[in-house]
Amino acid sequence: MAQLPLLTAQNLGLRFGEIPLFEGISMTVGPHDRLCLVGRNGAGKSSFMKILGQALEPDAGTITVQPGKVVTYLPQEPDFTRFATTSDALLDALPTDERQLYRIEALAAELDLDLAKPPTQLSGGGRRRIALARTFLTEPDLILLDEPTNHLDLPTISWLEERLKTFRGAFILISHDRRLLETAAQETLWLDRRKLHRSPKGYADFEDFRDFVLNEERREMDRERQHIKAEQRYLERGVTARRTRNQRRLKKLAALRERSAERIRPTGQVQITTGTAERSGRKAIEAQGIAKAFGDQVIVRDFSTRILSGDKMALIGPNGVGKTTLIKMLLGELTPDAGEVKHGARLETVYVDQNRETLKEDLTLQDVLAGGNDYVDVRGEKRHITSYLKDFLFEPAQMRSPVSSLSGGERGRLLLAKAFAKAANMLVLDEPPNDLDLDTLTLLEDVLADMDATLLLVSHDRDFIDQVSSSTIAPMGGGRWQEYPGGYSDFLTQSGGRAPWDMAPEATSPKKATVTALKPKKAKLSYKDQRRLDALPALIEDTQTQIAQCEAALADPTLFDTNPTQFQTLTSQIGPLQDTLEALEMEWLELEEKSEALAR
């Protein structure tokens, strides 16, 4: 028997002013669907997800959720300003049953959350971990995840990846992390030019699916062109003689042309070209025995490296481990406590930071790129601001729009436009993939791999690192850093298949303050819970036996004819018995998890 869908969307449409973002979208989400949603920046992915999560009203269409099912939406920018502590933020998501408070302690330990700390004092990664914890605390049947890996470090991304693999419900995932899309999702939704296409395969096969859809559209366009020609020839033979009927055909022809134009209207592609300043010499940066500590915390200990001109080097590791500190020492912005750093001659550096602090909210795009002028200096060449903005998929009308009006992806493209306008022989990118669509990300990879400039990259995107970097620097603990040839996959192979921080006990140990932030922690289950836990295995076994007896009796093909009363009795008994078994197993699992959490 087919299972009822968790969520049904019918004829969804959304407009921004007179321009439709998407229209006529219908879809269902089943109880175990594992979907990724892809599409270019501006296609409407986040808006579509908000509508599914009922955080935004569509202009047309309806959303229906199966009664009793829980749908949890995780937005790109969760807001926790109303909560005094992380504990309050998590308690707000927990069902009212206080027996489940232990689940907060368990998740706080897994995600390294200090429940006594105010969310407003946390970094973007810290707030994202709170949002993930809240998401799973709601025990959802369907999770809607909009860029959940933004600001997350590699250990937390790995945690999320494993959580999604073992999650019993359904989810829809938007992410620029292609490795996560490939490992977690089993089907692909593609939002493109107002329509939603669904592939029964995962993201690894997306390009083949996209090409198939586009080829089908081309064939359809060819058929429409032939139809338009036929209509045109018919009309040329005499509109006057059959005026009323031909007027209808004229309207139909106009509609055909509009539909055809809509199909072939280009969606555009970012145009990135690079140029470099005068080369900095064979050596770009050389560090010998550098070290840095803040109080008792050692960030870097006796680290040496030689970065040659044109090298592509990635820095990886958990948030807070000191990647930015090491970058600043290599660039000469921070003086090491010991050791020295030497730069090649004529080193010209462009820095793109993940926090986008150089983008002031009240500035216009014209102010950011050209200082308010009509022309921007692109590596020594004067270009009109509107022409250069088009290379990064901005409309001419956006030239005087404030930064505050831009989406996350548009801000990312604006930073890239600013960075690539400068002639530099050293490019420093701090989390460049954040909010970029997958097409732009792929193009950026190609540009970075082919450019002559030296690259220092800080990223948690494993696939991006693999595609771009020639060497990888990773923390080994205690302030020690080690350089590995190759990208992230090469680093894993050389380190035994696991990252050092995945095995470090401090990465998963709970903050001591978090336990008392909720309530006094018990060393073991209560007497009542322990007795129940002890009794459950026997109850589960007895119920399984009863179900097996019913199934064995019902397997007799003659039972209905020889004893219809017994057949009806057994049929009515087996359903409740199966429900009882499921409830007993879930109760045992919850008590067992509670016992393990309290024993930590």
Side-chain angles (χ1 to χ4, degrees), residues 279-286 307 342-348:
R279 292 179 67 87
S280 59
R282 185 170 180 270
K283 286 190 297 186
I285 299 176
E286 184 172 6
I307 304 174
K342 296 180 181 179
H343 290 169
R346 302 176 299 277
L347 192 66
E348 296 289 339

Side-chain angles (χ1 to χ4, degrees), residues 186-188 198-202 209:
Q186 295 174 349
E187 295 184 59
T188 304
R198 183 166 183 167
S199 166
K201 296 183 179 181
F209 170 70

